[in-house]
Amino acid sequence: MHPTPSAAAQAAADPRWQAAADLLLQHWQRGAHCAGLPAACRPADRAEGYVVQRELVRRSGDSVAGWKIAATSTAGQQHIGVDGPLAGRLRASRLAGAGATVSLAGSRMGVAEAEFAFRFGQRLAPRAEPYRQDEVMAAVDTLHPAIELPDSRFEDFVHAGAPQLIADCACANWLVVGPAVMVPWRGIDLAAHAVRFDIDDRPVATGQGANVLGDPRIALTWIVNELSRYTEGVFVGDLVTTGTCVVPVPIAPGQRLRVDYGVLGSLSATLA
């Protein structure tokens, strides 16, 4: 059974998770890093990690713009030392539009990723029965190219473990989102669709949608069911980015990033 709203509120009121959220938020505000959460307030499993995550964003005063999936590719899982995907809230203040200049101040991970992002036009509330892929895709309104610049407040994020990484919003930081794809994308095989990543007009990485749990639509279905189990689900207007199609690309201030999705469009950003 899914937790009731009152049960979720009761869990969030636990002083341990409030302390964990406050500690992470303070590090984000200072651009600082920590070795890990103290044992007294360290989440032990996914459910506790999601409670801390919810409190972190709530206490920040920011609104939730949607969700990200971390570690949907083998490369992504190896990069942060986990054996499966994680979901993280996207903070509205950390979304940027095409052509934006994004600051890397305080960034420890120092990588960028090319992703498929989907915006929902229908609510998918928590339920006992898993959502099917056709139900999830029917609830999607638009598809967008995206560049994610993930980060973590943990000094050794590779060994922090899934519950702590979930608490820290699954390494969510900046997401640059392009305009909605205008071609009829639903008939395109997104798993086979190629993506190229350029830095300063030089190709540095290539990949395809199959690197994201075999297909971005499979990844999207996974996160909908993860959120159905652990959170309030997906809301109308939520943007969900489905993980990197390329091996995470090392980046540095002053560079210009560009991802090319062929007929689906392209997207650029500059790093400050």
Side-chain angles (χ1 to χ4, degrees):
M1 292 182 63
H2 300 295
T4 63
S6 59
Q10 184 176 1
D14 189 316
R16 295 175 298 167
W17 313 141
Q18 294 180 12
D22 283 341
L23 184 60
L24 288 170
L25 180 58
Q26 290 164 14
H27 280 76
W28 274 105
Q29 290 171 336
R30 299 199 308 265
H33 301 84
C34 62
L37 291 169
C41 64
R42 182 179 301 170
D45 56 25
R46 282 178 176 257
E48 293 177 352
Y50 284 117
V51 173
V52 176
Q53 180 186 123
R54 177 175 180 268
E55 281 298 286
L56 168 60
V57 176
R58 186 184 71 82
R59 294 162 102 83
S60 75
D62 211 343
S63 58
V64 177
W67 299 85
K68 65 158 287 183
I69 315 177
T72 48
S73 69
T74 301
Q77 291 170 15
Q78 292 174 346
H79 186 63
I80 59 174
V82 297
D83 59 4
L86 317 171
R89 286 168 169 84
L90 295 172
R91 294 166 56 182
S93 66
R94 294 284 171 155
L95 260 59
T101 296
V102 179
S103 173
L104 289 181
S107 175
R108 187 174 185 85
M109 293 184 106
V111 296
E113 303 173 348
E115 312 202 357
F116 289 97
F118 299 84
R119 191 176 298 281
F120 278 82
Q122 297 177 31
R123 170 93 162 102
L124 294 178
R127 72 182 194 189
E129 179 187 357
Y131 283 95
R132 303 185 312 271
Q133 182 175 310
D134 63 318
E135 293 178 289
V136 172
M137 295 310 300
V140 169
D141 185 18
T142 52
L143 172 66
H144 303 254
I147 301 173
E148 188 189 6
L149 307 175
D151 202 17
S152 171
R153 290 306 92 191
F154 297 116
E155 294 171 355
D156 186 8
F157 54 83
V158 170
H159 297 103
Q164 287 198 105
L165 291 174
I166 290 172
D168 194 30
C169 290
C171 304
N173 189 19
W174 285 104
L175 185 72
V176 183
V177 184
V181 172
M182 300 307 293
V183 301
W185 58 269
R186 291 180 187 271
I188 293 175
D189 184 356
L190 297 182
H193 196 76
V195 179
R196 192 186 77 216
F197 200 115
D198 298 350
I199 294 182
D200 295 332
D201 299 320
R202 180 174 58 88
V204 295
T206 57
Q208 60 183 4
N211 292 333
V212 183
L213 289 183
D215 190 312
R217 292 162 292 201
I218 294 174
L220 194 67
T221 305
W222 174 87
I223 195 172
V224 165
N225 286 310
E226 180 85 345
L227 301 182
S228 177
R229 181 176 182 183
Y230 292 110
T231 78
E232 298 84 8
V234 176
F235 288 83
V236 174
D238 276 358
L239 184 75
V240 179
T241 188
T242 51
T244 184
C245 299
V246 301
V247 173
V249 176
I251 54 176
Q255 293 176 333
R256 180 177 179 273
L257 313 181
R258 182 176 183 272
V259 289
D260 188 343
Y261 292 79
V263 297
L264 301 180
S266 61
L267 174 65
S268 298
T270 301
L271 304 178

